[in-house]
Amino acid sequence: MAPKQMQHCYCKTYRCSGSLITYNELRKHQRADKSTEYQDTVDQINRQIFDLTLRHDGVPLMQGSTMWGHRGGHNASVPTSVPASIPLPDIPTTPPPSYPPDTSNRVECKSYEDLYLWDVEIALRIEAVAKMFKQGIATAVGSTESQHAINSLSAQLQWFRTTYHFLSITQPSSSDDSATVLKSAMLETLLTEISHIEKCVWRLEGSSVSKTSIAATYDTAKYFHHPFQTTSPLLLVAVFIALVLNILGHVSRPSCNLVLRMLKILLQSIFEEKGGPTQAESRILLNFPRDIRSVRKAFDIEPTVTIWAACPKCSYTYEPQENGNISTYPACCTHCAFPDKPPCGARLTTRHVLNGESVRVPIRPYPVQDFNEFVGAFLSRPGIEDAVRRGGTIALRGTASSDLHDICDGSALREITGPNGRPFMECPAEEVRLFWTLSADWFNPYLNKIAGKSVSTGSIVMTCPLLSPSLQYQAENIYLAAITPGPREPSLDEVNYFLNPVVRKLIPAWKDGVWYNRTHNHPRGRLARSALACVVTDLPGARKITGMAGHSAKLFCSLCKLTKDNINNIDYWTWERQDYRATGTGLTSIVEAATQWKNAPSKRRRKQIFAQYGVRYSVLMELEYFDFHKICCCRRYAQHVPRLSQISCQEGPGYGSPSK
Ligand SMILES: [Zn+2]
Ligand SMILES: [Zn+2]
Ligand SMILES: [Zn+2]
């Protein structure tokens, strides 16, 4: 029988394993346990923050590794190379994310001597790579020797990537400045060599794969090697705080600059308290940013946006001519509404001071996000490419029942043709094919208040219907193509001018595709083609952007020639169908009528054509695969997408307040 005051203790800190102790001691042990647990949690959170900020793909860095411990001597201090003859799998195997709860399981510290030997190995391999490439480029295209060179280079590429990964998580021994300097120099060498080998492989492959039809090539390397991967965590966390305050907290620029300065002072005083900054620490202080704008630039989170100039009078849009870092626009609007009418002539630009230089900026700016850049970032995210491919397979299979649940279940998507005349969905193994839905809506950025201003800005948004709905509507998967400037909603034919920049990108994206240097699943690059699957808006919006007459017009139906007088005629077999494109029957198709409307010499003639056919020209008709007859118009989508885009217009980074 235990004495009254004694109790069993099972704490972890003192490892009592059930021995009898006094109540006061028990309380003390419990408190000790709790604080250890707390410390572990803090450590874990710290590590997660580093992982999330250091690596774009979210793979944790701080993993315990004994791969090159001291036990095996110096020969074991480098990761073993991949046998050159084995072709690499296309999908890189990333280690599963795990956070070892045991903090002693960290990467060992490396001295200058360890790193030195490692560096020699790197130099030897760089020499070997140069030799391999020389041999590969000399052999005949597509021969076994050429293929062998590609395989060996790919194996080397894998080695360099693995080495880069392990070196970046290596901690040089503290107070060993020479090791720190060597580490950052080695990381730089590795990055340069990785991109060099990638280029060599493309050149060897490029000579065997015909890429003549590819219109554009996009470099997506920045999504895989971020310059911040090698930055000191201290600097990174400090800068990250200011960035989050600025973007998510809407803290103004001067206040963020103050935060940056205070953080610098804080770091400085910590270093001094520890006995003066070491060489590495002085470098952190020296590189510490002072302006939040340079932080935003360094993190590279802004989307690539081109500012077009919209005419304040007729809304015609002008693409800027890039002249060095400065975009130039025509001074006046040169658009003629009709061939024999004088040009509009409204002023397009106004003076503005940029970096101390006087430049001309648009009076009515129209920001357009780069579509190809967006798709590059989209495909660089883990899991997206697979989700798109699987979504395509599901859509191609169709549903067994007659119920349709989503746009993809309908036959319209399967009937869209690719540039070769076959269904677009029949994706060749070496390509990735994307469908997009386009949504455009106009709203009042000041909200609809009774005494409020009546202003209208619009957004043009695209989402990928091959993704399942939850993925589709994640903010990062929505392509906010453009924000149409206010103060009024564009008129029926003006809307074409705003859609034009988007359509100009979609035409080559379907026809020739875009080559991305690297995607998450395909480190050696991928050809991506995109097609517009349907327009998703409310009914008035759909009629507006596709050029069809409104639902209350005389020719109210977009499919047949039924007039409003006969709206009570429900004998559907008497309805005369309208062809979308010419079928050779001699009847005027919608596209032909729209072309007539576009080429009409006067406003009166346009009115006549519109009254006769119920259609005006829409820039979407330039997409040769696109058929308005098959467009879905789904209210759930129409309510969902603009709401999200409103949020991103009002709060998202890059655009600021839509009233600007
Ligand atoms: Zn105990
Ligand atoms: Zn104009
Ligand atoms: Zn009809």
Side-chain angles (χ1 to χ4, degrees):
M1 192 67 181
K4 202 181 171 189
Q5 295 291 317
M6 301 295 261
Q7 296 198 22
H8 293 282
C9 177
Y10 295 95
C11 71
K12 280 177 197 156
T13 317
Y14 297 91
R15 298 206 176 89
C16 295
S17 48
S19 53
L20 286 168
I21 53 171
T22 62
Y23 178 72
N24 278 350
E25 269 187 323
L26 179 77
R27 287 288 303 274
K28 202 178 117 198
H29 288 196
Q30 281 173 345
R31 269 202 300 275
D33 254 13
K34 210 159 199 175
S35 89
T36 320
E37 207 173 277
Y38 173 75
Q39 195 50 47
D40 280 353
T41 318
V42 169
D43 280 353
Q44 199 169 334
I45 291 170
N46 275 344
R47 246 173 292 141
Q48 288 192 16
I49 290 175
F50 288 164
D51 294 342
L52 286 171
T53 48
L54 277 166
R55 282 194 62 124
H56 184 272
D57 52 7
V59 177
L61 287 175
M62 299 293 183
Q63 293 183 41
S65 169
T66 52
M67 207 162 170
W68 16 270
H70 289 287
R71 275 163 287 129
H74 285 311
N75 287 343
S77 70
V78 282
T80 42
S81 66
V82 186
S85 56
I86 299 171
L88 286 169
D90 232 0
I91 301 158
T93 46
T94 40
S98 64
Y99 303 99
D102 183 4
T103 44
S104 67
N105 197 13
R106 288 238 175 128
V107 174
E108 285 164 65
C109 293
K110 289 279 164 190
S111 69
Y112 180 82
E113 284 71 23
D114 295 329
L115 291 176
Y116 182 88
L117 283 166
W118 206 355
D119 198 25
V120 171
E121 164 90 21
I122 291 171
L124 286 174
R125 277 179 187 264
I126 289 175
E127 228 167 87
V129 163
K131 217 176 267 173
M132 279 175 205
F133 179 64
K134 224 170 147 191
Q135 283 167 0
I137 206 83
T139 56
V141 171
S143 64
T144 37
E145 288 88 7
S146 165
Q147 194 53 45
H148 181 74
I150 292 175
N151 287 346
S152 338
L153 279 176
S154 306
Q156 291 295 338
L157 185 61
Q158 187 73 9
W159 184 87
F160 276 98
R161 284 197 184 130
T162 321
T163 311
Y164 181 86
H165 171 72
F166 283 112
L167 182 62
S168 62
I169 58 172
T170 304
Q171 295 294 328
S173 328
S174 53
S175 78
D176 190 349
D177 280 339
S178 47
T180 317
V181 173
L182 179 57
K183 181 192 156 185
S184 61
M186 281 167 73
L187 285 174
E188 223 166 89
T189 313
L190 285 171
L191 266 190
T192 320
E193 189 59 18
I194 286 170
S195 69
H196 173 69
I197 304 178
E198 278 172 353
K199 274 179 200 143
C200 289
V201 173
W202 295 332
R203 267 189 72 185
L204 289 180
E205 281 181 339
S207 45
S208 52
V209 181
S210 156
K211 288 179 196 155
T212 44
S213 64
I214 293 162
T217 306
Y218 265 79
D219 191 4
T220 42
K222 68 171 179 178
Y223 300 112
F224 298 93
H225 315 292
H226 199 276
F228 273 134
Q229 274 175 345
T230 56
T231 309
S232 148
L234 272 180
L235 178 66
L236 195 60
V237 170
V239 162
F240 193 64
I241 292 171
L243 186 76
V244 168
L245 284 177
N246 183 235
I247 291 176
L248 301 178
H250 303 286
V251 176
S252 69
R253 201 195 299 159
S255 309
C256 284
N257 292 348
L258 175 78
V259 169
L260 281 174
R261 240 164 269 179
M262 296 320 281
L263 283 169
K264 187 181 174 181
I265 293 171
L266 180 74
L267 280 185
Q268 200 164 4
S269 39
I270 292 172
F271 294 153
E272 274 162 16
E273 213 159 90
K274 272 170 47 192
T278 62
Q279 206 179 333
E281 287 164 353
S282 318
R283 227 185 358 261
I284 292 177
L285 292 175
L286 196 71
N287 292 336
F288 208 89
R290 291 162 61 174
D291 195 323
I292 189 71
R293 281 174 297 183
S294 56
V295 174
R296 287 179 75 139
K297 204 171 165 195
F299 268 90
D300 199 10
I301 45 171
E302 320 266 343
T304 310
V305 173
T306 314
I307 307 289
W308 288 50
C311 172
K313 201 166 143 197
C314 70
S315 291
Y316 195 81
T317 50
Y318 293 88
E319 192 177 4
Q321 300 290 319
E322 296 301 333
N323 194 352
N325 273 339
I326 296 166
S327 313
T328 52
Y329 304 88
C332 292
C333 180
T334 52
H335 176 64
C336 307
F338 298 100
D340 54 348
K341 287 269 156 60
C344 158
R347 263 184 59 206
L348 291 177
T349 54
T350 179
R351 281 194 187 285
H352 186 78
V353 178
L354 185 79
N355 300 333
E357 244 182 279
S358 172
V359 288
R360 294 201 152 268
V361 293
I363 292 173
R364 203 173 167 217
Y366 176 45
V368 181
Q369 195 191 154
D370 192 314
F371 178 68
N372 294 335
E373 279 274 345
F374 173 83
V375 175
F378 183 70
L379 294 176
S380 299
R381 248 173 267 138
I384 291 293
E385 207 177 327
D386 274 335
V388 166
R389 195 175 45 78
R390 289 182 183 181
T393 317
I394 294 169
L396 200 59
R397 207 169 51 214
T399 46
S401 67
S402 56
D403 302 342
L404 304 181
H405 301 290
D406 202 354
I407 289 177
C408 293
D409 295 338
S411 60
L413 236 67
R414 290 196 287 277
E415 284 165 13
I416 289 176
T417 53
N420 56 358
R422 303 277 313 141
F424 186 79
M425 245 180 201
E426 284 178 12
C427 173
E430 67 278 3
E431 275 184 38
V432 53
R433 291 196 169 176
L434 303 163
F435 276 116
W436 297 94
T437 63
L438 184 134
S439 166
D441 204 2
W442 284 267
F443 53 86
N444 187 343
Y446 302 115
L447 309 175
N448 287 321
K449 292 179 188 139
I450 294 167
K453 281 190 218 172
S454 169
V455 170
S456 181
T457 37
S459 60
I460 300 171
V461 173
M462 281 161 66
T463 60
C464 181
L466 294 175
L467 297 176
S468 81
S470 304
L471 269 176
Q472 208 181 119
Y473 297 127
Q474 272 192 322
E476 63 266 36
N477 295 337
I478 294 178
Y479 169 56
L480 177 60
I483 294 181
T484 63
R488 61 195 160 82
E489 194 174 324
S491 73
L492 292 167
D493 41 339
E494 280 172 6
V495 76
N496 279 332
Y497 305 145
F498 291 112
L499 285 172
N500 185 37
V502 181
V503 173
R504 291 281 155 262
K505 288 279 180 187
L506 282 172
I507 294 172
W510 170 81
K511 204 168 181 188
D512 303 323
V514 178
W515 177 264
Y516 292 100
N517 276 352
R518 189 174 171 187
T519 66
H520 185 262
N521 284 8
H522 299 91
R524 295 194 219 155
R526 203 75 172 151
L527 182 72
R529 283 182 207 267
S530 296
L532 183 65
C534 65
V535 170
V536 175
T537 52
D538 50 5
L539 194 54
R543 294 293 173 86
K544 186 170 178 171
I545 60 179
T546 52
M548 307 302 292
H551 56 281
S552 56
K554 189 179 160 215
L555 286 158
F556 64 93
C557 180
S558 58
L559 292 174
C560 69
K561 293 178 181 169
L562 201 68
T563 55
K564 207 178 171 188
D565 315 333
N566 299 325
I567 198 165
N568 293 325
N569 172 9
I570 50 168
D571 303 330
Y572 61 87
W573 55 90
T574 62
W575 300 344
E576 199 187 337
R577 233 184 116 90
Q578 255 181 323
D579 288 318
Y580 191 71
R581 283 178 202 284
T583 47
T585 50
L587 295 168
T588 313
S589 70
I590 288 177
V591 172
E592 281 169 329
T595 316
Q596 278 183 30
W597 184 93
K598 189 189 173 197
N599 298 332
S602 67
K603 215 170 187 171
R604 232 187 69 211
R605 179 74 193 117
R606 279 190 176 175
K607 259 190 178 159
Q608 283 172 357
I609 295 169
F610 183 72
Q612 193 180 348
Y613 300 107
V615 61
R616 65 175 74 78
Y617 170 76
S618 161
V619 72
L620 290 180
M621 291 169 185
E622 305 275 325
L623 301 168
E624 49 188 284
Y625 56 88
F626 191 70
D627 185 343
F628 176 68
H629 275 174
K630 291 169 186 165
I631 275 174
C632 326
C633 178
C634 172
R635 287 199 70 184
R636 180 170 70 90
Y637 277 56
Q639 283 163 353
H640 208 110
V641 176
R643 198 185 67 78
L644 275 171
S645 64
Q646 267 186 43
I647 294 169
S648 50
C649 295
Q650 283 159 357
E651 297 177 4
Y655 285 115
S657 153
S659 60
K660 274 178 196 165

